[in-house]
C-alpha cells in the first residue's frame, strides 16, 4: 500500500500549491468557482497572498502531489473554520487521500482554535454528502446558490458541520458567510 502524507504549505510553497491548483482546475473545472484560464496567468505575489489568506494542505502519495484542501476562517464567526477546495487526482480517488486531507484539515482547524468546521457540498452531490457524513459532518439547513463554474440557476449547496470540540451537539447560531 502506498504511503499517504499530508503536509501544510507555507507562503514559500506557493509554487507547489499553484501547480496542484492549476491541475485541479484543468481536471475538474466544474468543481471550482475559478477557472484555469483565470488563474494560470497570475503572478507570484497573487499566489503568495493566497497562501497567507488560508491554510493549504497538500497530500502526497510516495512523494507525488496527489490532492489538496484549504482551511479558512468563516467571515461571520471566527470560531468556525471552512474546508474548501478539496481535490484529489482521479487515479487516487477512493484510496483514502480525501479522507486524510479532511482529517488534516480538521486537525488544522482545531489547532487554530476553531470549534467547528464547515464544508459546503452541492445538494445534488450524493457522493460528496455521503463522504462528508461518513467523516462526521452533519447537514444543516443553511443553503446558498452554487458558486462553481458551470452550475445552473437554482442549484444549491448546503453547509455540513463538524464539531471539533467535546460537545458535538453545540452548533453556533451564526455559522458562516
Amino acid at each position: 500500500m502506498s504511503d499517504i502524507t499530508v503536509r501544510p504549505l507555507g507562503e514559500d510553497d506557493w509554487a507547489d500549491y499553484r501547480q496542484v491548483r492549476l491541475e485541479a482546475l484543468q481536471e475538474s473545472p466544474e468543481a471550482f468557482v475559478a477557472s484555469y484560464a483565470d488563474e494560470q496567468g497570475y503572478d507570484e505575489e497573487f499566489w503568495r497572498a493566497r497562501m497567507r489568506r488560508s491554510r493549504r494542505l497538500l497530500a502526497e502519495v510516495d512523494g507525488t502531489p496527489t490532492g489538496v484542501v484549504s482551511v479558512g476562517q468563516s467571515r461571520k464567526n471566527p470560531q468556525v473554520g471552512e474546508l474548501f477546495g478539496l481535490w484529489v487526482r482521479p487515479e487516487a480517488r477512493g484510496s483514502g487521500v480525501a479522507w486524510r486531507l479532511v482529517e488534516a484539515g480538521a486537525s488544522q482547524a482545531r489547532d487554530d482554535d476553531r470549534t467547528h468546521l464547515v464544508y459546503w457540498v452541492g445538494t445534488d452531490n450524493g457522493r460528496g454528502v455521503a463522504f462528508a457524513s461518513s467523516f462526521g459532518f452533519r447537514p444543516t439547513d443553511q443553503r446558498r446558490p452554487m458558486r462553481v463554474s458551470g452550475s445552473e440557476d437554482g442549484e444549491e449547496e448546503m453547509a455540513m458541520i463538524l464539531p471539533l470540540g467535546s460537545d458535538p451537539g453545540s452548533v453556533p447560531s451564526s455559522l458562516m458567510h
Side-chain angles (χ1 to χ4, degrees), residues 123-141:
T123 55
D124 293 336
N125 183 352
R127 188 173 177 197
V129 171
F131 170 76
S133 296
S134 72
F135 196 87
F137 285 87
R138 299 186 322 243
T140 70
D141 60 359

Side-chain angles (χ1 to χ4, degrees), residues 21-68:
R21 168 78 176 177
L22 292 177
E23 183 180 345
L25 291 172
Q26 282 187 301
E27 191 280 321
S28 300
E30 72 287 347
F32 297 95
V33 175
S35 71
Y36 177 82
D38 292 337
E39 294 197 4
Q40 58 97 17
Y42 290 151
D43 65 6
E44 178 178 338
E45 183 48 40
F46 170 88
W47 291 100
R48 284 182 175 279
R50 180 175 269 181
M51 299 302 286
R52 291 188 297 266
R53 267 196 317 269
S54 298
R55 308 287 190 160
R56 312 298 172 167
L57 304 172
L58 180 69
E60 296 171 314
V61 175
D62 298 329
T64 301
T66 307
V68 67

